[in-house]
Amino acid sequence: MSLDRFKERFAGTASYLRNPFAGHKAVNVLIITLITLFILVNVVLGIYWSREPDMLNVRQEAAQKAQQLNREVVPGFTTTTTAIRIGETLLDKPGGYLRNDVMPPSVLLDNMPNWELGALIQLRDFTRALRKEFSRSQSQSREDADLAIAEPQFNFDSNSWALPSSEGEYRRGIKRLDNYLQRLSDPSDPAQFYSRADNLTDWLKDVETRLGSLSQRLSASVGKARLNTDLAGDAEAVQSTPSESEVVVKTPWYKIDDIFYEARGTSWALLALLSAVEVDFADVLEKKNARVSLRQIIRELRETQEPLGSPIILNGDGFGMLANHSLVMANYISRANAAIIDLRRLLEQG
């Protein structure tokens, strides 16, 4: 081989190694097009899957379920149907259950997964109350067999992708709730739902603690120093380890939107459950003259579901120029929580 021929081949090989696709412009264009299309599809799906579900019409849902089962709407039918629909919404909304996903675009999302967590926590609290309180006449009575399985199913790890998956466990819990619902409306079955003031107040206590915690976490979007009141009101109270008399509470900036959407999901589920309570506990509320108090709570929670007018969660400081969405949400949550405390006292003493 001549020297010139060797130099020519060497130069061609070196050029190929520097840019192996230099002579394949069509391949380059195809790869860029596919990558762009992949990103575009994921962005569109991410936006679509992040849309929050509509509020549930609990009366309509109960009527449709009763017609489907050819049963009467008995006490407990509306609240149980609502719990089932909350679970089904978590699993069957656009994109399905996203919190445990490991593939894009859902693995890159955080707003909807935190919304799901808020709704799931309320579903867990209610099914626990359904098992422990609503379905039992007294502390020594037997618990319902279906509810004894349904309640722990919803307490399964919310981030489990497989072996088993969160969806599979929650689906099993929904099936058991559906079994209980069918037996509840069957006159020949011993399944019961007791609409009593004491049962309702026990569940409302759990709701209070959840909303109180959410309100504090939302308010901590702006760091503020507060006095430590952990032992206030009891001169004999002690705690495990000493703590500072003044503490600074502030939510990390990257968790502000997480807490906000958890509060949105919590309020969505709680709004549906309280609307169902208004149906199933109608006689109790009427006797205690507490119906208007419950409706006020529902009104406050409905405000938390107003459409968000900003593409991001703003975190303005105090009376600054920018809004603070967390503080606005904390206001509605706190007002609803205060009204729940008043409602519980009215049920206990009224």
Side-chain angles (χ1 to χ4, degrees):
M1 180 183 295
S2 66
L3 181 61
D4 292 340
R5 184 66 174 168
F6 175 79
K7 287 181 179 180
E8 181 180 342
R9 288 194 174 184
F10 179 78
T13 303
S15 176
Y16 176 80
L17 291 175
R18 288 194 301 270
N19 188 0
F21 296 110
H24 303 80
K25 292 184 178 180
V27 175
N28 288 340
V29 171
L30 177 61
I31 291 174
I32 293 174
T33 301
L34 290 176
I35 292 175
T36 303
L37 183 61
F38 175 78
I39 294 174
L40 182 61
V41 169
N42 277 272
V43 169
V44 172
L45 281 178
I47 294 174
Y48 179 58
W49 290 355
S50 294
R51 296 178 60 188
E52 298 173 32
D54 295 332
M55 289 183 285
L56 296 177
N57 186 330
V58 298
R59 295 176 186 269
Q60 180 178 329
E61 297 286 350
Q64 290 177 351
K65 189 69 173 180
Q67 184 178 11
Q68 176 186 341
L69 297 175
N70 194 25
R71 299 286 175 81
E72 295 291 330
V73 179
V74 298
F77 195 96
T78 304
T79 49
T80 306
T81 300
T82 301
I84 291 172
R85 288 293 296 121
I86 290 173
E88 289 176 341
T89 300
L90 286 172
L91 301 181
D92 300 332
K93 59 181 173 52
Y97 183 74
L98 305 180
R99 186 167 178 80
N100 64 342
D101 284 3
V102 296
M103 296 293 290
S106 47
V107 72
L108 304 175
L109 305 176
D110 63 348
N111 292 345
M112 182 50 65
N114 282 286
W115 185 96
E116 292 171 345
L117 178 62
L120 178 61
I121 289 174
Q122 287 303 312
L123 181 58
R124 288 171 173 173
D125 287 349
F126 182 78
T127 52
R128 182 173 63 250
L130 190 59
R131 176 188 180 183
K132 291 175 54 183
E133 308 292 344
F134 296 134
S135 64
R136 302 175 65 189
S137 60
Q138 53 187 347
S139 61
Q140 301 301 316
S141 59
R142 290 183 58 185
E143 63 183 9
D144 186 89
D146 282 315
L147 296 180
I149 296 176
E151 189 250 335
Q153 293 305 123
F154 293 114
N155 284 277
F156 185 75
D157 182 10
S158 64
N159 294 305
S160 180
W161 177 62
L163 300 177
S165 68
S166 301
E167 294 98 321
E169 298 301 294
Y170 299 157
R171 191 78 70 180
R172 186 183 179 203
I174 292 171
K175 180 174 176 55
R176 289 293 182 163
L177 281 180
D178 195 64
N179 289 346
Y180 167 73
L181 180 67
Q182 294 183 46
R183 295 190 298 106
L184 183 65
S185 52
D186 184 354
S188 62
D189 195 280
Q192 294 291 339
F193 182 98
Y194 298 97
S195 298
R196 300 200 314 251
D198 59 337
N199 288 347
L200 183 55
T201 54
D202 286 339
W203 174 61
L204 290 176
K205 289 178 183 177
D206 289 338
V207 174
E208 286 176 29
T209 59
R210 295 295 188 188
L211 293 187
S213 175
L214 267 180
S215 176
Q216 287 293 329
R217 293 163 63 202
L218 288 165
S219 299
S221 61
V222 289
K224 296 293 182 182
R226 70 174 181 87
L227 296 177
N228 191 332
T229 59
D230 294 344
L231 301 179
D234 188 349
E236 303 298 325
V238 295
Q239 61 187 52
S240 301
T241 57
S243 55
E244 298 292 335
S245 60
E246 186 174 291
V247 293
V248 176
V249 181
K250 182 172 175 59
T251 301
W253 65 269
Y254 56 88
K255 287 187 173 293
I256 288 174
D257 62 332
D258 295 347
I259 297 174
F260 179 86
Y261 278 97
E262 182 183 337
R264 292 268 287 194
T266 294
S267 302
W268 177 86
L270 188 56
L271 176 60
L273 289 170
L274 288 173
S275 297
V277 162
E278 184 181 4
V279 177
D280 284 336
F281 289 82
D283 293 340
V284 173
L285 295 170
E286 198 68 36
K287 182 178 179 180
K288 299 286 187 176
N289 197 25
R291 185 187 293 272
V292 65
S293 299
L294 179 60
R295 287 180 175 174
Q296 182 59 35
I297 298 168
I298 292 173
R299 176 173 294 184
E300 296 291 349
L301 289 174
R302 188 170 283 116
E303 295 294 333
T304 67
Q305 302 302 301
E306 287 296 315
L308 192 63
S310 171
I312 60 174
I313 304 303
L314 298 178
N315 191 41
D317 186 13
F319 295 104
M321 295 181 62
L322 296 178
N324 188 306
H325 293 117
S326 295
L327 292 183
V328 174
M329 179 68 74
N331 174 62
Y332 290 127
I333 294 288
S334 296
R335 287 169 60 90
N337 194 30
I340 287 175
I341 294 173
D342 290 340
L343 173 61
R344 182 174 59 81
R345 290 174 178 169
L346 182 60
L347 291 171
E348 292 173 340
Q349 305 169 7

Short mmCIF file of all heavy atoms in Angstrom, two decimals, residues 140-197:
data_model
loop_
_atom_site.label_atom_id
_atom_site.label_comp_id
_atom_site.label_asym_id
_atom_site.label_seq_id
_atom_site.Cartn_x
_atom_site.Cartn_y
_atom_site.Cartn_z
N GLN A 140 -66.94 -4.67 73.86
CA GLN A 140 -66.81 -6.12 73.97
C GLN A 140 -67.43 -6.87 72.80
O GLN A 140 -67.42 -8.10 72.77
CB GLN A 140 -67.45 -6.61 75.28
CG GLN A 140 -66.85 -6.00 76.54
CD GLN A 140 -65.36 -6.30 76.66
OE1 GLN A 140 -64.92 -7.42 76.43
NE2 GLN A 140 -64.58 -5.28 77.02
N SER A 141 -67.99 -6.16 71.84
CA SER A 141 -68.63 -6.82 70.70
C SER A 141 -67.59 -7.27 69.68
O SER A 141 -66.47 -6.75 69.64
CB SER A 141 -69.64 -5.88 70.04
OG SER A 141 -68.98 -4.70 69.59
N ARG A 142 -67.97 -8.23 68.84
CA ARG A 142 -67.06 -8.75 67.83
C ARG A 142 -66.88 -7.74 66.70
O ARG A 142 -67.82 -7.06 66.30
CB ARG A 142 -67.59 -10.07 67.27
CG ARG A 142 -67.55 -11.24 68.22
CD ARG A 142 -68.05 -12.50 67.53
NE ARG A 142 -67.26 -12.81 66.35
CZ ARG A 142 -67.54 -13.81 65.49
NH1 ARG A 142 -68.63 -14.54 65.69
NH2 ARG A 142 -66.77 -14.03 64.45
N GLU A 143 -65.66 -7.67 66.16
CA GLU A 143 -65.43 -6.81 65.02
C GLU A 143 -65.84 -7.51 63.74
O GLU A 143 -65.86 -8.75 63.67
CB GLU A 143 -63.96 -6.40 64.94
CG GLU A 143 -62.99 -7.54 64.73
CD GLU A 143 -61.55 -7.07 64.73
OE1 GLU A 143 -61.32 -5.89 65.06
OE2 GLU A 143 -60.66 -7.87 64.41
N ASP A 144 -66.18 -6.74 62.74
CA ASP A 144 -66.63 -7.29 61.46
C ASP A 144 -65.45 -7.96 60.76
O ASP A 144 -64.35 -7.41 60.68
CB ASP A 144 -67.21 -6.18 60.60
CG ASP A 144 -67.83 -6.71 59.32
OD1 ASP A 144 -69.02 -7.02 59.35
OD2 ASP A 144 -67.10 -6.82 58.32
N ALA A 145 -65.70 -9.16 60.20
CA ALA A 145 -64.62 -9.94 59.59
C ALA A 145 -64.03 -9.24 58.36
O ALA A 145 -62.81 -9.25 58.16
CB ALA A 145 -65.16 -11.32 59.20
N ASP A 146 -64.87 -8.63 57.53
CA ASP A 146 -64.36 -7.94 56.35
C ASP A 146 -63.58 -6.69 56.72
O ASP A 146 -62.52 -6.41 56.13
CB ASP A 146 -65.51 -7.57 55.41
CG ASP A 146 -66.00 -8.76 54.59
OD1 ASP A 146 -65.15 -9.49 54.07
OD2 ASP A 146 -67.23 -8.95 54.51
N LEU A 147 -64.07 -5.93 57.68
CA LEU A 147 -63.38 -4.71 58.09
C LEU A 147 -62.06 -5.02 58.79
O LEU A 147 -61.11 -4.23 58.73
CB LEU A 147 -64.28 -3.89 59.02
CG LEU A 147 -65.57 -3.36 58.38
CD1 LEU A 147 -66.37 -2.57 59.40
CD2 LEU A 147 -65.26 -2.49 57.16
N ALA A 148 -61.99 -6.18 59.45
CA ALA A 148 -60.75 -6.58 60.11
C ALA A 148 -59.63 -6.81 59.10
O ALA A 148 -58.45 -6.68 59.43
CB ALA A 148 -60.97 -7.85 60.94
N ILE A 149 -59.98 -7.12 57.86
CA ILE A 149 -59.00 -7.29 56.80
C ILE A 149 -58.81 -5.98 56.02
O ILE A 149 -57.69 -5.63 55.66
CB ILE A 149 -59.43 -8.42 55.84
CG1 ILE A 149 -59.46 -9.75 56.58
CG2 ILE A 149 -58.51 -8.49 54.63
CD1 ILE A 149 -59.96 -10.91 55.75
N ALA A 150 -59.89 -5.26 55.78
CA ALA A 150 -59.82 -4.04 54.98
C ALA A 150 -58.93 -2.99 55.63
O ALA A 150 -58.11 -2.35 54.95
CB ALA A 150 -61.23 -3.48 54.77
N GLU A 151 -59.08 -2.79 56.93
CA GLU A 151 -58.34 -1.71 57.60
C GLU A 151 -56.83 -1.85 57.49
O GLU A 151 -56.14 -0.90 57.08
CB GLU A 151 -58.77 -1.64 59.07
CG GLU A 151 -58.23 -0.42 59.79
CD GLU A 151 -57.18 -0.78 60.81
OE1 GLU A 151 -57.19 -1.91 61.31
OE2 GLU A 151 -56.35 0.10 61.12
N PRO A 152 -56.23 -3.00 57.78
CA PRO A 152 -54.77 -3.09 57.61
C PRO A 152 -54.30 -3.03 56.16
O PRO A 152 -53.16 -2.66 55.89
CB PRO A 152 -54.42 -4.45 58.26
CG PRO A 152 -55.69 -5.21 58.29
CD PRO A 152 -56.78 -4.20 58.43
N GLN A 153 -55.17 -3.40 55.21
CA GLN A 153 -54.77 -3.33 53.81
C GLN A 153 -54.43 -1.89 53.40
O GLN A 153 -53.48 -1.65 52.67
CB GLN A 153 -55.88 -3.85 52.90
CG GLN A 153 -56.16 -5.33 53.02
CD GLN A 153 -54.94 -6.19 52.80
OE1 GLN A 153 -54.56 -6.97 53.64
NE2 GLN A 153 -54.30 -6.03 51.66
N PHE A 154 -55.21 -0.93 53.88
CA PHE A 154 -54.96 0.47 53.52
C PHE A 154 -53.76 1.05 54.27
O PHE A 154 -53.28 2.13 53.90
CB PHE A 154 -56.20 1.32 53.80
CG PHE A 154 -57.36 0.99 52.90
CD1 PHE A 154 -58.53 0.44 53.40
CD2 PHE A 154 -57.27 1.21 51.53
CE1 PHE A 154 -59.59 0.12 52.57
CE2 PHE A 154 -58.33 0.91 50.68
CZ PHE A 154 -59.49 0.36 51.21
N ASN A 155 -53.28 0.35 55.28
CA ASN A 155 -52.09 0.80 56.00
C ASN A 155 -50.81 0.20 55.44
O ASN A 155 -49.74 0.37 56.02
CB ASN A 155 -52.22 0.45 57.49
CG ASN A 155 -53.16 1.40 58.21
OD1 ASN A 155 -52.79 2.49 58.62
ND2 ASN A 155 -54.42 0.98 58.36
N PHE A 156 -50.92 -0.50 54.32
CA PHE A 156 -49.74 -1.04 53.66
C PHE A 156 -48.88 0.10 53.12
O PHE A 156 -49.37 1.19 52.81
CB PHE A 156 -50.16 -1.98 52.53
CG PHE A 156 -49.02 -2.69 51.86
CD1 PHE A 156 -48.37 -3.73 52.49
CD2 PHE A 156 -48.58 -2.28 50.60
CE1 PHE A 156 -47.30 -4.37 51.87
CE2 PHE A 156 -47.53 -2.92 49.98
CZ PHE A 156 -46.88 -3.96 50.62
N ASP A 157 -47.57 -0.14 53.00
CA ASP A 157 -46.60 0.84 52.51
C ASP A 157 -47.09 1.51 51.23
O ASP A 157 -47.38 0.83 50.24
CB ASP A 157 -45.26 0.14 52.27
CG ASP A 157 -44.18 1.10 51.80
OD1 ASP A 157 -44.39 2.32 51.83
OD2 ASP A 157 -43.10 0.61 51.40
N SER A 158 -47.16 2.82 51.24
CA SER A 158 -47.70 3.56 50.08
C SER A 158 -46.71 3.65 48.94
O SER A 158 -47.06 4.12 47.85
CB SER A 158 -48.11 4.97 50.51
OG SER A 158 -46.97 5.71 50.95
N ASN A 159 -45.44 3.24 49.14
CA ASN A 159 -44.41 3.37 48.11
C ASN A 159 -43.97 2.04 47.52
O ASN A 159 -42.98 1.98 46.80
CB ASN A 159 -43.18 4.08 48.68
CG ASN A 159 -43.46 5.51 49.06
OD1 ASN A 159 -43.94 6.29 48.26
ND2 ASN A 159 -43.18 5.86 50.30
N SER A 160 -44.67 0.96 47.84
CA SER A 160 -44.25 -0.35 47.37
C SER A 160 -44.64 -0.55 45.91
O SER A 160 -45.82 -0.51 45.56
CB SER A 160 -44.87 -1.46 48.24
OG SER A 160 -44.47 -2.73 47.78
N TRP A 161 -43.64 -0.79 45.06
CA TRP A 161 -43.89 -0.92 43.63
C TRP A 161 -44.30 -2.33 43.25
O TRP A 161 -45.12 -2.55 42.37
CB TRP A 161 -42.63 -0.52 42.86
CG TRP A 161 -42.75 -0.69 41.38
CD1 TRP A 161 -43.63 -0.06 40.55
CD2 TRP A 161 -41.97 -1.57 40.55
NE1 TRP A 161 -43.45 -0.47 39.25
CE2 TRP A 161 -42.43 -1.40 39.23
CE3 TRP A 161 -40.94 -2.46 40.80
CZ2 TRP A 161 -41.88 -2.10 38.15
CZ3 TRP A 161 -40.39 -3.16 39.72
CH2 TRP A 161 -40.86 -2.98 38.43
N ALA A 162 -43.72 -3.34 43.91
CA ALA A 162 -44.03 -4.72 43.55
C ALA A 162 -43.73 -5.65 44.72
O ALA A 162 -43.01 -5.30 45.66
CB ALA A 162 -43.21 -5.14 42.33
N LEU A 163 -44.29 -6.84 44.64
CA LEU A 163 -44.03 -7.95 45.58
C LEU A 163 -44.25 -7.59 47.05
O LEU A 163 -43.34 -7.77 47.87
CB LEU A 163 -42.61 -8.48 45.38
CG LEU A 163 -42.28 -9.03 43.98
CD1 LEU A 163 -40.84 -9.45 43.89
CD2 LEU A 163 -43.21 -10.17 43.62
N PRO A 164 -45.45 -7.24 47.46
CA PRO A 164 -46.61 -6.90 46.62
C PRO A 164 -46.65 -5.40 46.32
O PRO A 164 -45.93 -4.62 46.95
CB PRO A 164 -47.78 -7.32 47.50
CG PRO A 164 -47.30 -7.02 48.89
CD PRO A 164 -45.82 -7.32 48.90
N SER A 165 -47.50 -5.03 45.41
CA SER A 165 -47.65 -3.62 45.08
C SER A 165 -48.67 -2.95 45.99
O SER A 165 -49.57 -3.61 46.51
CB SER A 165 -48.09 -3.46 43.62
OG SER A 165 -49.41 -3.95 43.45
N SER A 166 -48.52 -1.65 46.17
CA SER A 166 -49.49 -0.90 46.97
C SER A 166 -50.88 -1.01 46.37
O SER A 166 -51.87 -1.18 47.09
CB SER A 166 -49.07 0.58 47.05
OG SER A 166 -47.79 0.74 47.61
N GLU A 167 -50.97 -0.92 45.03
CA GLU A 167 -52.27 -0.99 44.37
C GLU A 167 -52.98 -2.30 44.67
O GLU A 167 -54.19 -2.32 44.93
CB GLU A 167 -52.12 -0.83 42.85
CG GLU A 167 -51.64 0.53 42.40
CD GLU A 167 -50.14 0.53 42.14
OE1 GLU A 167 -49.43 -0.12 42.93
OE2 GLU A 167 -49.70 1.19 41.18
N GLY A 168 -52.22 -3.41 44.64
CA GLY A 168 -52.84 -4.70 44.88
C GLY A 168 -53.40 -4.82 46.29
O GLY A 168 -54.50 -5.35 46.49
N GLU A 169 -52.67 -4.29 47.27
CA GLU A 169 -53.13 -4.35 48.65
C GLU A 169 -54.33 -3.45 48.86
O GLU A 169 -55.29 -3.82 49.55
CB GLU A 169 -51.99 -3.94 49.60
CG GLU A 169 -50.78 -4.86 49.54
CD GLU A 169 -51.13 -6.29 49.88
OE1 GLU A 169 -51.51 -6.55 51.04
OE2 GLU A 169 -51.05 -7.15 48.99
N TYR A 170 -54.30 -2.25 48.27
CA TYR A 170 -55.43 -1.33 48.44
C TYR A 170 -56.67 -1.87 47.71
O TYR A 170 -57.80 -1.69 48.19
CB TYR A 170 -55.07 0.06 47.91
CG TYR A 170 -53.91 0.69 48.63
CD1 TYR A 170 -53.14 1.69 48.03
CD2 TYR A 170 -53.54 0.28 49.91
CE1 TYR A 170 -52.07 2.26 48.67
CE2 TYR A 170 -52.47 0.85 50.57
CZ TYR A 170 -51.72 1.84 49.93
OH TYR A 170 -50.65 2.40 50.58
N ARG A 171 -56.46 -2.51 46.57
CA ARG A 171 -57.59 -3.09 45.84
C ARG A 171 -58.26 -4.18 46.68
O ARG A 171 -59.48 -4.31 46.68
CB ARG A 171 -57.09 -3.67 44.51
CG ARG A 171 -58.19 -4.05 43.53
CD ARG A 171 -58.75 -2.83 42.82
NE ARG A 171 -57.81 -2.24 41.89
CZ ARG A 171 -58.10 -1.17 41.16
NH1 ARG A 171 -59.29 -0.59 41.26
NH2 ARG A 171 -57.20 -0.65 40.34
N ARG A 172 -57.47 -4.92 47.41
CA ARG A 172 -58.02 -5.95 48.27
C ARG A 172 -58.83 -5.32 49.40
O ARG A 172 -59.90 -5.81 49.78
CB ARG A 172 -56.90 -6.81 48.86
CG ARG A 172 -57.39 -8.01 49.67
CD ARG A 172 -56.23 -8.77 50.27
NE ARG A 172 -56.69 -9.90 51.07
CZ ARG A 172 -55.99 -10.46 52.03
NH1 ARG A 172 -54.79 -10.00 52.33
NH2 ARG A 172 -56.48 -11.47 52.71
N GLY A 173 -58.34 -4.18 49.94
CA GLY A 173 -59.09 -3.48 50.97
C GLY A 173 -60.41 -2.95 50.45
O GLY A 173 -61.44 -3.02 51.14
N ILE A 174 -60.41 -2.44 49.22
CA ILE A 174 -61.65 -1.94 48.61
C ILE A 174 -62.65 -3.08 48.45
O ILE A 174 -63.85 -2.91 48.70
CB ILE A 174 -61.34 -1.27 47.25
CG1 ILE A 174 -60.55 0.01 47.46
CG2 ILE A 174 -62.63 -0.99 46.50
CD1 ILE A 174 -60.03 0.63 46.17
N LYS A 175 -62.17 -4.24 48.02
CA LYS A 175 -63.06 -5.40 47.84
C LYS A 175 -63.71 -5.78 49.17
O LYS A 175 -64.91 -6.11 49.23
CB LYS A 175 -62.27 -6.57 47.27
CG LYS A 175 -63.11 -7.83 47.07
CD LYS A 175 -62.33 -8.92 46.38
CE LYS A 175 -63.15 -10.20 46.26
NZ LYS A 175 -64.44 -9.99 45.59
N ARG A 176 -62.93 -5.74 50.26
CA ARG A 176 -63.49 -6.08 51.57
C ARG A 176 -64.49 -5.03 52.04
O ARG A 176 -65.51 -5.36 52.67
CB ARG A 176 -62.36 -6.22 52.59
CG ARG A 176 -61.50 -7.46 52.38
CD ARG A 176 -62.30 -8.72 52.65
NE ARG A 176 -61.50 -9.93 52.49
CZ ARG A 176 -61.84 -11.12 52.96
NH1 ARG A 176 -63.00 -11.27 53.60
NH2 ARG A 176 -61.06 -12.16 52.77
N LEU A 177 -64.25 -3.77 51.75
CA LEU A 177 -65.23 -2.73 52.07
C LEU A 177 -66.51 -2.96 51.28
O LEU A 177 -67.62 -2.76 51.80
CB LEU A 177 -64.65 -1.35 51.75
CG LEU A 177 -63.68 -0.72 52.73
CD1 LEU A 177 -63.23 0.64 52.23
CD2 LEU A 177 -64.30 -0.59 54.12
N ASP A 178 -66.36 -3.37 50.03
CA ASP A 178 -67.53 -3.63 49.20
C ASP A 178 -68.33 -4.83 49.74
O ASP A 178 -69.56 -4.81 49.73
CB ASP A 178 -67.10 -3.89 47.76
CG ASP A 178 -68.27 -3.82 46.79
OD1 ASP A 178 -68.87 -2.74 46.65
OD2 ASP A 178 -68.60 -4.86 46.18
N ASN A 179 -67.62 -5.84 50.24
CA ASN A 179 -68.31 -6.98 50.85
C ASN A 179 -69.11 -6.54 52.08
O ASN A 179 -70.26 -6.96 52.27
CB ASN A 179 -67.29 -8.05 51.27
CG ASN A 179 -66.69 -8.77 50.07
OD1 ASN A 179 -67.18 -8.67 48.96
ND2 ASN A 179 -65.60 -9.48 50.32
N TYR A 180 -68.48 -5.69 52.89
CA TYR A 180 -69.17 -5.18 54.08
C TYR A 180 -70.39 -4.37 53.68
O TYR A 180 -71.46 -4.49 54.30
CB TYR A 180 -68.20 -4.33 54.90
CG TYR A 180 -68.85 -3.50 55.98
CD1 TYR A 180 -69.35 -4.08 57.15
CD2 TYR A 180 -68.98 -2.11 55.82
CE1 TYR A 180 -69.94 -3.32 58.13
CE2 TYR A 180 -69.58 -1.34 56.81
CZ TYR A 180 -70.06 -1.94 57.95
OH TYR A 180 -70.66 -1.18 58.93
N LEU A 181 -70.26 -3.56 52.64
CA LEU A 181 -71.38 -2.72 52.18
C LEU A 181 -72.55 -3.59 51.74
O LEU A 181 -73.71 -3.30 52.06
CB LEU A 181 -70.91 -1.83 51.03
CG LEU A 181 -71.96 -0.90 50.43
CD1 LEU A 181 -72.37 0.16 51.45
CD2 LEU A 181 -71.44 -0.24 49.17
N GLN A 182 -72.27 -4.66 51.01
CA GLN A 182 -73.35 -5.53 50.56
C GLN A 182 -74.03 -6.23 51.73
O GLN A 182 -75.26 -6.37 51.74
CB GLN A 182 -72.78 -6.57 49.58
CG GLN A 182 -72.26 -5.96 48.28
CD GLN A 182 -71.78 -7.01 47.30
OE1 GLN A 182 -72.44 -8.01 47.08
NE2 GLN A 182 -70.61 -6.79 46.71
N ARG A 183 -73.26 -6.64 52.71
CA ARG A 183 -73.85 -7.31 53.87
C ARG A 183 -74.60 -6.32 54.76
O ARG A 183 -75.58 -6.66 55.41
CB ARG A 183 -72.76 -8.01 54.68
CG ARG A 183 -72.09 -9.16 53.91
CD ARG A 183 -71.19 -10.00 54.80
NE ARG A 183 -70.09 -9.24 55.36
CZ ARG A 183 -70.00 -8.85 56.62
NH1 ARG A 183 -70.97 -9.14 57.48
NH2 ARG A 183 -68.96 -8.17 57.05
N LEU A 184 -74.11 -5.06 54.76
CA LEU A 184 -74.73 -4.03 55.60
C LEU A 184 -76.17 -3.78 55.20
O LEU A 184 -77.03 -3.54 56.05
CB LEU A 184 -73.91 -2.73 55.49
CG LEU A 184 -74.34 -1.54 56.35
CD1 LEU A 184 -74.17 -1.86 57.83
CD2 LEU A 184 -73.52 -0.31 55.98
N SER A 185 -76.43 -3.83 53.92
CA SER A 185 -77.78 -3.55 53.42
C SER A 185 -78.62 -4.81 53.25
O SER A 185 -79.69 -4.76 52.66
CB SER A 185 -77.67 -2.81 52.08
OG SER A 185 -76.83 -3.50 51.18
N ASP A 186 -78.11 -5.94 53.77
CA ASP A 186 -78.84 -7.20 53.70
C ASP A 186 -79.51 -7.46 55.06
O ASP A 186 -78.83 -7.67 56.06
CB ASP A 186 -77.88 -8.35 53.38
CG ASP A 186 -78.60 -9.68 53.21
OD1 ASP A 186 -79.82 -9.74 53.45
OD2 ASP A 186 -77.93 -10.65 52.84
N PRO A 187 -80.86 -7.44 55.13
CA PRO A 187 -81.55 -7.61 56.42
C PRO A 187 -81.23 -8.93 57.11
O PRO A 187 -81.34 -9.02 58.34
CB PRO A 187 -83.04 -7.53 56.04
CG PRO A 187 -83.06 -6.82 54.72
CD PRO A 187 -81.80 -7.20 54.03
N SER A 188 -80.80 -9.93 56.36
CA SER A 188 -80.53 -11.24 56.96
C SER A 188 -79.10 -11.38 57.46
O SER A 188 -78.74 -12.43 57.99
CB SER A 188 -80.81 -12.34 55.93
OG SER A 188 -79.95 -12.21 54.81
N ASP A 189 -78.27 -10.34 57.28
CA ASP A 189 -76.86 -10.42 57.69
C ASP A 189 -76.66 -9.61 58.96
O ASP A 189 -77.26 -8.54 59.13
CB ASP A 189 -75.97 -9.87 56.58
CG ASP A 189 -74.51 -10.26 56.77
OD1 ASP A 189 -73.83 -9.60 57.57
OD2 ASP A 189 -74.07 -11.22 56.12
N PRO A 190 -75.78 -10.05 59.87
CA PRO A 190 -75.59 -9.33 61.14
C PRO A 190 -74.73 -8.07 61.04
O PRO A 190 -74.57 -7.36 62.06
CB PRO A 190 -74.89 -10.38 62.03
CG PRO A 190 -74.19 -11.28 61.07
CD PRO A 190 -75.08 -11.35 59.87
N ALA A 191 -74.17 -7.77 59.88
CA ALA A 191 -73.34 -6.56 59.74
C ALA A 191 -74.16 -5.32 60.08
O ALA A 191 -75.31 -5.18 59.67
CB ALA A 191 -72.80 -6.46 58.31
N GLN A 192 -73.52 -4.40 60.82
CA GLN A 192 -74.21 -3.20 61.29
C GLN A 192 -73.33 -1.97 61.15
O GLN A 192 -72.09 -2.05 61.06
CB GLN A 192 -74.63 -3.35 62.75
CG GLN A 192 -75.67 -4.42 63.04
CD GLN A 192 -77.03 -4.07 62.46
OE1 GLN A 192 -77.32 -2.91 62.19
NE2 GLN A 192 -77.87 -5.09 62.28
N PHE A 193 -73.99 -0.82 61.14
CA PHE A 193 -73.33 0.48 61.24
C PHE A 193 -74.14 1.29 62.24
O PHE A 193 -75.34 1.49 62.05
CB PHE A 193 -73.30 1.20 59.89
CG PHE A 193 -72.58 2.53 59.90
CD1 PHE A 193 -71.28 2.63 59.47
CD2 PHE A 193 -73.23 3.69 60.34
CE1 PHE A 193 -70.61 3.84 59.48
CE2 PHE A 193 -72.58 4.90 60.35
CZ PHE A 193 -71.26 4.98 59.92
N TYR A 194 -73.50 1.73 63.31
CA TYR A 194 -74.20 2.41 64.40
C TYR A 194 -73.97 3.92 64.30
O TYR A 194 -72.85 4.40 64.50
CB TYR A 194 -73.73 1.88 65.75
CG TYR A 194 -74.02 0.40 65.94
CD1 TYR A 194 -73.03 -0.55 65.70
CD2 TYR A 194 -75.28 -0.03 66.34
CE1 TYR A 194 -73.30 -1.90 65.86
CE2 TYR A 194 -75.55 -1.38 66.50
CZ TYR A 194 -74.56 -2.31 66.26
OH TYR A 194 -74.82 -3.65 66.42
N SER A 195 -75.03 4.65 63.99
CA SER A 195 -74.95 6.11 63.91
C SER A 195 -75.21 6.69 65.29
O SER A 195 -76.36 6.99 65.65
CB SER A 195 -75.99 6.64 62.90
OG SER A 195 -75.73 6.14 61.61
N ARG A 196 -74.15 6.83 66.06
CA ARG A 196 -74.25 7.35 67.41
C ARG A 196 -73.30 8.52 67.57
O ARG A 196 -72.25 8.60 66.92
CB ARG A 196 -73.89 6.27 68.45
CG ARG A 196 -74.76 5.04 68.42
CD ARG A 196 -74.65 4.28 69.75
NE ARG A 196 -73.26 4.16 70.17
CZ ARG A 196 -72.58 3.00 70.16
NH1 ARG A 196 -73.16 1.89 69.73
NH2 ARG A 196 -71.33 2.96 70.58
N ALA A 197 -73.65 9.42 68.48
CA ALA A 197 -72.83 10.61 68.70
C ALA A 197 -71.45 10.24 69.21
O ALA A 197 -70.44 10.86 68.82
CB ALA A 197 -73.54 11.56 69.66
#
